[in-house]
Amino acid sequence: MTAAPRDIERVYSTAEVVAKLRRLADALESETPFRIQIAGERIRVPARAQFSIEHERGETEEEIEFQLKWTLDDDADDDEAAEVV
């Protein structure tokens, strides 16, 4: 089954971001898979996902992105009981 393409950006309150980042940090530190709900969809992130930080600078604004990336094959190997963040 092929996943439908999706490219969204969602703005969250500071409290929501803090909670998501705290749970994400715990999952990364313990090297366990986790689930995150973004704009109503639950996404499963395997423990072997690669983590990167990206910085962009334009003339009028700057942006920092925290990014997790993985192949869909990685997802099949991890435990299904992942925490939702």
Side-chain angles (χ1 to χ4, degrees):
M1 180 165 106
T2 304
R6 184 176 191 217
D7 186 5
I8 64 161
E9 184 173 330
R10 171 86 190 261
V11 176
Y12 291 94
S13 71
T14 299
E16 290 171 316
V17 171
V18 167
K20 287 179 183 293
L21 287 175
R22 187 166 285 129
R23 292 187 303 247
L24 171 60
D26 289 344
L28 290 171
E29 187 173 50
S30 64
E31 297 180 357
T32 58
F34 62 94
R35 293 181 189 271
I36 184 167
Q37 186 165 329
I38 302 171
E41 183 176 336
R42 287 188 178 187
I43 296 118
R44 189 172 187 293
V45 181
R48 288 185 292 272
Q50 293 181 340
F51 187 80
S52 64
I53 301 173
E54 183 178 318
H55 175 243
E56 296 178 24
R57 179 180 293 136
E59 290 187 28
T60 60
E61 64 184 15
E62 292 191 56
E63 180 177 332
I64 294 175
E65 290 183 17
F66 295 88
Q67 188 173 76
L68 290 154
K69 191 180 282 190
W70 64 95
T71 63
L72 296 179
D73 290 344
D74 288 344
D75 192 33
D77 296 335
D78 285 336
D79 177 26
E80 281 296 324
E83 179 182 359
V84 176
V85 296

